[in-house]
Amino acid sequence: MKVLVLCALVAAAAAWPNYGFLNDPGRSEPSDAQKQHDVNYLLYKVYENIRDEKLKSIGVTFDPEADTSHYTDNGEAVHKLVKELKDNRLLQQKHWFSLFNTRQREEALLLYDVFEHSKDWKTFVSNAAYFRNRVNEGEFVYALYAAVVHSPLTKHVVLPPLYEVTPHLFTNSEVIQKAYHAKMTQTPGKFRSYFTGSKRNKEQRVAYFGEDVGLNTHHVTWHLEFPFWWEDKHEGYHLDRKGENFFWVHHQLTVRFDAERLSNHLDPVNELHWEATIEEGFAPHTTYKYGGEFPSRPDNIHFEDVDGIAHIRDLIILENRIRDAIAHGYVTAHDGSTVDINNSHGIDVLGDVIESSTYSPNVEYYGSLHNTAHIVLGRQGDPHGKYDLPPGVLEHFETSTRDPAFFRLHKYMDNIFREHKDSLTPYTKEELEFSGVAIDGVSIDGPLETFFEDFEYSLVNAVDDTPQVADVAISTVVSRLNHKDFSFKIDVNNNNDHEVLATVRIFAWPHNDNNDIPYSFNEGRWRAIELDRFWRKLSPGVNHIVRKSTESAVTVPDVPSFDSLIERTEAALSAGSSEVDIHEFVSAVGVPNRFLIPKGNSEGLEFELVVAVTDGKADAAVESLHENTVFNHYGYHGVYPDNRPHGYPLDRRVDDARIFHDLSNFHQHTVKIYNH
């Protein structure tokens, strides 16, 4: 039924008349609803012709080079891209695309630059319609997603979920085959998806985490918001504390994965070693839409050099250089100067070095440990190109968390980060306390209880199309983790005679390790999962704070389905509205809200719940954070909101836990998370 509604909406969109602005230079920018409409149909059936007749016509008649006054760079980017197109140097259509492939990334960024240098929506959308017909589909999708994330022209546009735009990257091949059969026989179908592997594979117990399409969306969206290729001089602004954000987002994925493993009676994941065996193999059970199957990796193999990418010895050398920098307390910049990392800002520099991003002070010397490691690990199924296999799952941000080796790789890098963090001087009591503020009590209203539920998403974009064959409803259903709603109730006493701004920080870490031995405070705090961070004004006296789990600043709601976005947008346009009521979905950077707490188990898995209330005035990097309504956990428009490091006050080693337990603004108690 959804597809029938969608077909009707597509037909209505084809007749939609509101495109006068494309031929009228004096007309104002179109509404947000119109922009949403355009993005929807630029991404719908991306391997086929554009379904919107107006956009389709623009794609045929538009000349990108005709009037360069509509570009902020006077057409430099578009001239460069068109020349590559005319010289037949661009990747052909219907071919796999990987951001880790240097040439393919360069081509995608050529198109991204055209979008970013478009002065107005007319120029932006016309270029999108024109190049959609001419460049590789994967490059087009990446360039458009990145541009929508960063362009001021698309501030209120919501991107449809990638798992419905490019379903092949997220859906098992067996289900995709059933979808094709349903389309060919014109029989609507709803097919059950199962996680990769079998019950003989213990990693299957936590596949619901790494293969969750919402988690995949979080991972790829973060890398779109904070891309390693970002250059300030080209993009116009700086991404504040990007390297530290890189550390924190992957640290949180790693400690959360370990918590899921404990919930399922598995040992924490072991870090990867370049000279050791890769014990766990991986069979993705996924296929590129064009280009063959994702490569598999057998069990118990040793790392091999990857032709044209890296020697294993080179990665070991890069690791040693980074560890030497940590030991010395500084990195050596490209010009020979030194950059001190023996401070709170050091984690930011180190993150840029390890990734490496263009912010790295010396990429020639420290290399690109993270990005190269992803390629090397992803190619171990065919390291010498003997079988001409396409890239592995680790060479796509959309798919990399599917492979358990992703978490081994990031445990390895996380331990390097910890080496740096543990080298810093622990916080003193004076640095941690909040004068005159005390936590009187913390409780939880509602059960800490998780459950599995069915989630359905569309596969209409997975199958080939032809005007002679109508769409039918095709979808897949997969099990996913969720939790019941709950609230934190925190009583804070402000003993000052004036109002103060406070930062409330909430964490949880497993009480026991895999051997049922309690974690020490120092070991537990490194495994802390950040549950929330928010600002409140505290009046003199007792303040009763109630914070709902749905309000967490760490999480975001699930992205609406593609057909829901289209339906809402067309309804708004038909009603003459300039806006679509989808503002809460503008950011998909956070972890899905249903993943706020780990799975737990039927007996109740114990966690240490920690609440710290710190000085909000000293913490805040921007004003009015207590009134914030946008997702800014990693920064908003390049501005990071918190003066404190990610994970504060638990980010540095703790030699004596009594320093925390003696703080009036710190609270800790044990809770249990149940799964039924």
Side-chain angles (χ1 to χ4, degrees):
M1 181 63 190
K2 288 183 177 179
V3 172
L4 296 177
V5 173
L6 187 58
C7 290
L9 291 171
V10 170
W16 189 258
N18 189 19
Y19 268 89
F21 74 93
L22 289 169
N23 302 310
D24 181 3
R27 187 165 178 170
S28 61
E29 283 284 284
S31 66
D32 288 337
Q34 184 63 54
K35 291 180 180 181
Q36 184 69 55
H37 165 96
D38 295 341
V39 170
N40 288 344
Y41 285 98
L42 286 167
L43 291 169
Y44 185 74
K45 292 279 186 181
V46 73
Y47 286 92
E48 314 296 339
N49 291 326
I50 300 176
R51 289 292 184 96
D52 181 277
E53 291 300 325
K54 298 296 182 180
L55 288 173
K56 184 177 179 180
S57 175
I58 294 164
V60 174
T61 60
F62 180 66
D63 181 356
E65 299 180 288
D67 187 355
T68 58
S69 67
H70 288 280
Y71 300 100
T72 58
D73 64 345
N74 294 317
E76 180 181 343
V78 77
H79 288 326
K80 189 182 297 184
L81 178 57
V82 170
K83 185 178 190 323
E84 294 292 287
L85 179 63
K86 290 180 177 178
D87 291 345
N88 294 316
R89 286 178 46 82
L90 298 180
L91 180 68
Q92 69 264 36
Q93 292 189 314
K94 294 179 171 55
H95 187 284
W96 56 261
F97 160 73
S98 171
L99 190 68
F100 287 105
N101 182 294
T102 303
R103 174 56 188 173
Q104 293 179 5
R105 179 173 68 251
E106 289 172 350
E107 293 179 10
L109 295 184
L110 285 175
L111 179 56
Y112 166 82
D113 285 343
V114 172
F115 293 146
E116 285 300 280
H117 287 294
S118 297
K119 287 184 178 180
D120 49 61
W121 187 248
K122 170 184 175 181
T123 309
F124 186 109
V125 74
S126 299
N127 274 301
Y130 178 86
F131 286 108
R132 184 187 189 273
N133 299 331
R134 293 164 175 83
V135 304
N136 174 269
E137 296 86 355
E139 292 181 352
F140 174 81
V141 169
Y142 183 81
L144 185 59
Y145 265 73
V148 169
V149 166
H150 292 287
S151 174
L153 296 173
T154 50
K155 184 177 179 181
H156 302 295
V157 171
V158 172
L159 286 162
L162 268 170
Y163 50 82
E164 290 191 333
V165 175
T166 54
H168 281 75
L169 296 178
F170 302 88
T171 312
N172 287 0
S173 305
E174 299 90 334
V175 174
I176 296 292
Q177 290 173 344
K178 292 178 181 178
Y180 270 104
H181 183 266
K183 178 64 181 286
M184 288 187 294
T185 60
Q186 288 289 278
T187 307
K190 183 189 297 185
F191 309 109
R192 167 69 64 175
S193 282
Y194 296 96
F195 299 118
T196 303
S198 72
K199 292 182 179 180
R200 296 183 181 91
N201 180 5
K202 63 182 180 181
E203 297 297 325
Q204 179 76 4
R205 299 183 212 167
V206 287
Y208 65 85
F209 183 73
E211 296 185 32
D212 184 271
V213 294
L215 185 75
N216 300 153
T217 299
H218 159 63
H219 186 233
V220 69
T221 305
W222 186 92
H223 281 283
L224 281 164
E225 289 269 2
F226 300 93
F228 61 84
W229 46 259
W230 184 274
E231 293 187 60
D232 293 354
K233 63 181 180 180
H234 291 153
E235 312 307 333
Y237 63 94
H238 180 75
L239 297 176
D240 194 21
R241 293 165 70 165
K242 178 182 174 301
E244 183 183 5
N245 281 334
F246 170 79
F247 150 68
W248 187 249
V249 71
H250 293 96
H251 173 71
Q252 285 295 293
L253 286 175
T254 303
V255 299
R256 176 59 191 271
F257 185 63
D258 276 348
E260 297 302 330
R261 296 178 71 84
L262 284 174
S263 297
N264 290 279
H265 309 289
L266 294 172
D267 294 343
V269 68
N270 292 319
E271 69 172 321
L272 169 151
H273 288 283
W274 296 117
E275 297 171 305
T277 301
I278 310 173
E279 295 177 0
E280 300 90 4
F282 182 63
H285 284 247
T286 48
T287 305
Y288 287 93
K289 185 170 176 66
Y290 300 101
E293 296 181 356
F294 278 86
S296 297
R297 183 185 65 253
D299 285 344
N300 300 313
I301 65 169
H302 290 276
F303 276 106
E304 292 189 42
D305 298 340
V306 176
D307 293 356
I309 301 298
H311 296 286
I312 299 303
R313 67 172 183 267
D314 296 335
L315 293 170
I316 295 172
I317 290 170
L318 294 179
E319 175 190 339
N320 289 336
R321 289 175 179 175
I322 293 168
R323 290 187 185 277
D324 283 346
I326 293 170
H328 286 106
Y330 64 84
V331 300
T332 303
H334 177 73
D335 61 2
S337 62
T338 60
V339 180
D340 184 16
I341 61 171
N342 194 25
N343 51 49
S344 294
H345 180 66
I347 190 70
D348 188 43
V349 177
L350 201 59
D352 290 332
V353 165
I354 290 176
E355 188 178 14
S356 110
S357 74
T358 57
Y359 287 4
S360 172
N362 196 345
V363 68
E364 294 85 357
Y365 183 70
Y366 295 107
S368 179
L369 184 61
H370 168 265
N371 291 353
T372 306
H374 263 267
I375 301 172
V376 168
L377 186 53
R379 296 283 179 90
Q380 289 306 300
D382 186 26
H384 308 298
K386 181 179 179 180
Y387 306 107
D388 195 27
L389 297 179
V393 294
L394 283 155
E395 295 175 77
H396 301 274
F397 291 129
E398 300 95 320
T399 60
S400 57
T401 64
R402 293 171 64 92
D403 188 342
F406 168 88
F407 297 99
R408 289 195 64 194
L409 175 64
H410 278 282
K411 175 66 76 71
Y412 154 72
M413 294 183 187
D414 199 51
N415 286 343
I416 297 176
F417 283 120
R418 182 175 184 179
E419 198 170 309
H420 159 71
K421 280 287 192 176
D422 283 354
S423 72
L424 302 178
T425 304
Y427 295 117
T428 65
K429 181 180 179 181
E430 290 71 29
E431 290 175 309
L432 295 170
E433 61 188 0
F434 187 4
S435 179
V437 173
I439 299 176
D440 287 346
V442 175
S443 62
I444 296 177
D445 184 15
L448 292 179
E449 184 175 327
T450 66
F451 58 91
F452 284 92
E453 64 181 8
D454 280 348
F455 173 66
E456 180 181 354
Y457 65 91
S458 173
L459 297 179
V460 168
N461 284 346
V463 297
D464 291 325
D465 203 22
T466 174
Q468 288 74 37
V469 180
D471 284 330
V472 294
I474 310 172
S475 62
T476 185
V477 177
V478 64
S479 184
R480 68 177 189 177
L481 186 68
N482 203 340
H483 64 81
K484 293 185 177 180
D485 290 341
F486 62 91
S487 298
F488 295 107
K489 300 177 75 174
I490 307 167
D491 289 337
V492 183
N493 199 336
N494 175 13
N495 294 305
N496 298 289
D497 59 2
H498 56 276
E499 184 179 70
V500 297
L501 180 64
T503 315
V504 183
R505 305 170 188 272
I506 307 175
F507 302 90
W509 68 72
H511 179 77
N512 294 334
D513 65 13
N514 50 304
N515 293 313
D516 210 30
I517 299 172
Y519 279 117
S520 67
F521 190 96
N522 187 53
E523 287 302 313
R525 61 93 199 169
W526 184 254
R527 291 163 174 79
I529 299 166
E530 186 175 21
L531 301 179
D532 207 348
R533 187 195 325 171
F534 60 95
W535 281 262
R536 280 284 188 275
K537 282 192 172 181
L538 302 178
S539 302
V542 177
N543 293 261
H544 302 284
I545 299 173
V546 177
R547 180 74 168 182
K548 297 179 181 178
S549 58
T550 54
E551 297 174 318
S552 172
V554 177
T555 65
V556 294
D558 285 319
V559 180
S561 66
F562 211 153
D563 62 336
S564 173
L565 273 178
I566 291 177
E567 187 174 349
R568 294 188 195 192
T569 304
E570 302 313 310
L573 288 172
S574 297
S577 175
S578 62
E579 297 182 4
V580 189
D581 186 20
I582 49 177
H583 62 279
E584 68 269 34
F585 306 111
V586 168
S587 177
V589 180
V591 176
N593 183 267
R594 55 192 174 77
F595 266 1
L596 178 62
I597 57 175
K599 170 178 167 282
N601 57 37
S602 58
E603 297 82 22
L605 188 63
E606 290 187 328
F607 282 80
E608 292 302 300
L609 179 68
V610 165
V611 178
V613 178
T614 59
D615 186 346
K617 183 177 181 182
D619 296 348
V622 296
E623 295 181 354
S624 303
L625 277 169
H626 60 288
E627 299 173 353
N628 175 60
T629 57
V630 298
F631 183 89
N632 69 344
H633 189 63
Y634 297 102
Y636 183 67
H637 286 180
V639 179
Y640 185 74
D642 197 345
N643 280 321
R644 304 295 187 182
H646 272 302
Y648 176 84
L650 304 176
D651 60 305
R652 296 194 184 185
R653 76 173 194 270
V654 180
D655 296 334
D656 188 342
R658 288 175 297 181
I659 192 173
F660 276 89
H661 294 145
D662 290 342
L663 295 171
S664 63
N665 57 316
F666 181 85
H667 175 91
Q668 177 183 351
H669 75 269
T670 305
V671 298
K672 288 186 177 182
I673 300 178
Y674 293 87
N675 173 259
H676 296 302

